[in-house]
Amino acid sequence: MPSPRQLHAAGASNGSTGAVDGVETLATPSSTPNPGVPSVLTKLQKWGDYAAIGEPVHPTRFLPCKTPLSQRIIDSWSMSAPPAHPLTVASLLAGQTADGRA
């Protein structure tokens, strides 16, 4: 059975759908970016602009938040800039306790 990479290459060779060893392949997307559709990179950069924790959704107790990072990840951060809104389980619980929600 061909690997996903082989299937992708087979579909890319002619730019259309087809079958490789009986397995259907899909056409590859255009390499030309669509200016009206945000790229993954722009979505990730925008994600950093959002606060780590939102306000509760009333009348529920649902609290929208980013997934907390482990303290180990924060301590070993190797990127040039630290996370703009670091969130750990400890800081999430401390913040909720301070807001009277814990």
Side-chain angles (χ1 to χ4, degrees):
M1 174 167 257
S3 72
R5 186 176 302 237
Q6 290 167 325
L7 290 175
H8 177 75
S13 65
N14 62 12
S16 64
T17 61
V20 175
D21 293 333
V23 177
E24 196 66 27
T25 62
L26 299 176
T28 57
S30 170
S31 61
T32 307
N34 183 342
V37 178
S39 70
V40 172
L41 179 59
T42 58
K43 289 179 182 180
L44 288 173
Q45 289 170 334
K46 187 175 180 181
W47 183 247
D49 296 338
Y50 294 111
I53 303 171
E55 291 299 315
V57 178
H58 293 289
T60 70
R61 294 179 60 176
F62 177 78
L63 181 68
C65 66
K66 294 180 177 179
T67 302
L69 299 173
S70 71
Q71 189 61 49
R72 185 175 51 142
I73 291 173
I74 302 274
D75 292 342
S76 63
W77 195 261
S78 62
M79 297 180 82
S80 59
H85 304 282
L87 178 66
T88 62
V89 173
S91 66
L92 172 65
L93 294 175
Q96 295 309 296
T97 299
D99 290 341
R101 296 188 196 121

